[in-house]
Amino acid sequence: DQQVKQNSPSLSVQEGRISILNCDYTNSMFDYFLWYKKYPAEGPTFLISISSIKDKNEDGRFTVFLNKSAKHLSLHIVPSQPGDSAVYFCAASDRTYKYIFGTGTRLKVLA
Amino acid sequence: DARVTQTPRDKVTEMGQEVTMRCQPILGHNTVFWYRQTMMQGLELLAYFRNRAPLDDSGMPKDRFSAEMPDATLATLKIQPSEPRDSAVYFCASGTYPDSRWTQYFGPGTRLLVL
């Protein structure tokens, strides 16, 4: 039973355009969400997070949106750059240290 | 530039053999996590330590997996005996409590292949 789902295994976007990565969750107790980025042969690195008391958090080119009623979050990257090509994981937590991760979305930004 | 280190980076072994993976957390971090990445499940939490004490290993197959922290600078994950279904990338992550709820620093992973 996947509590956190990333239904798109891959996404290709032209450089300069917007990348939108989606994540759905089922557990209404989740109150904190993170996005990690992972390059090949490296561990995931923290990208951006959002608390359930917010519906948007922005950091430079990265914005995360949270829709609690739909149990959906999305990561927007604007403008997309070739260096953004990586696997992106979303993760959710319910007031504990325990994060449930999605299966990841591989983003390819085409030059 | 403080980093989590993991050894070995790659391991190929035969079914039934013992596998030991090692992790050196970032100096000063008091929480350590072991994750396993598979194509089907994404990143799964296997075990969690705080101040070297195991707090949660519910994600680990108990009959064959064991995790320990002999000291604050070393965490180990052992599989005995290993099986082909254990093939995956194993990540160690560290952080400080309670900040590790928000930020965990991952190592580069150990890629395990069990034949």
Side-chain angles (χ1 to χ4, degrees):
Chain A
D1 176 31
Q2 281 283 93
Q3 295 187 64
V4 177
K5 296 180 183 178
Q6 293 177 257
N7 291 318
S8 297
S10 64
L11 174 69
S12 290
V13 171
Q14 282 296 131
E15 181 179 5
R17 306 295 291 267
I18 184 172
S19 295
I20 300 176
L21 294 90
N22 294 304
C23 181
D24 296 294
Y25 61 96
T26 58
N27 189 340
S28 57
M29 297 301 293
F30 288 149
D31 70 339
Y32 203 80
F33 306 87
L34 302 93
W35 284 93
Y36 277 84
K37 179 166 74 173
K38 184 184 178 305
Y39 291 118
E42 294 183 11
T45 55
F46 170 76
L47 187 59
I48 192 168
S49 63
I50 188 166
S51 164
S52 60
I53 63 173
K54 295 185 175 182
D55 54 20
K56 176 183 173 181
N57 189 26
E58 195 171 349
D59 184 2
R61 296 185 298 113
F62 302 91
T63 303
V64 56
F65 294 92
L66 176 63
N67 183 334
K68 289 186 289 293
S69 60
K71 294 190 178 67
H72 176 84
L73 65 154
S74 61
L75 174 68
H76 292 210
I77 307 173
V78 183
S80 302
Q81 299 174 354
D84 297 329
S85 297
V87 177
Y88 290 79
F89 291 96
C90 71
S93 170
D94 60 355
R95 298 182 184 276
T96 69
Y97 56 85
K98 212 166 193 173
Y99 276 92
I100 307 297
F101 282 81
T103 51
T105 295
R106 183 179 303 277
L107 172 66
K108 189 170 184 179
V109 179
L110 307 170
Chain B
D1 184 22
R3 298 185 184 193
V4 176
T5 57
Q6 290 186 247
T7 56
R9 292 296 306 274
D10 289 278
K11 177 72 177 180
V12 181
T13 190
E14 293 189 346
M15 183 174 64
Q17 296 297 305
E18 177 178 302
V19 175
T20 299
M21 290 170 269
R22 293 176 174 80
C23 166
Q24 183 172 10
I26 292 172
L27 190 64
H29 283 187
N30 61 351
T31 61
V32 173
F33 305 80
W34 281 105
Y35 291 90
R36 174 170 63 182
Q37 181 190 6
T38 62
M39 293 296 291
M40 297 303 294
Q41 297 293 328
L43 280 160
E44 308 170 80
L45 178 66
L46 297 175
Y48 162 61
F49 290 78
R50 187 192 306 162
N51 295 324
R52 296 177 54 201
L55 292 191
D56 188 337
D57 60 1
S58 58
M60 238 168 34
K62 300 287 192 303
D63 55 339
R64 299 183 299 108
F65 283 59
S66 63
E68 296 179 343
M69 280 201 74
D71 61 61
T73 64
L74 177 64
T76 63
L77 180 66
K78 290 186 181 180
I79 308 174
Q80 168 64 19
S82 58
E83 296 181 2
R85 58 179 167 154
D86 301 328
S87 298
V89 182
Y90 290 80
F91 290 102
C92 173
S94 72
T96 56
Y97 181 80
D99 295 347
S100 56
R101 191 193 171 206
W102 295 275
T103 307
Q104 298 176 16
Y105 298 86
F106 283 77
T110 293
R111 186 183 304 270
L112 173 65
L113 178 60
V114 183
L115 302 173

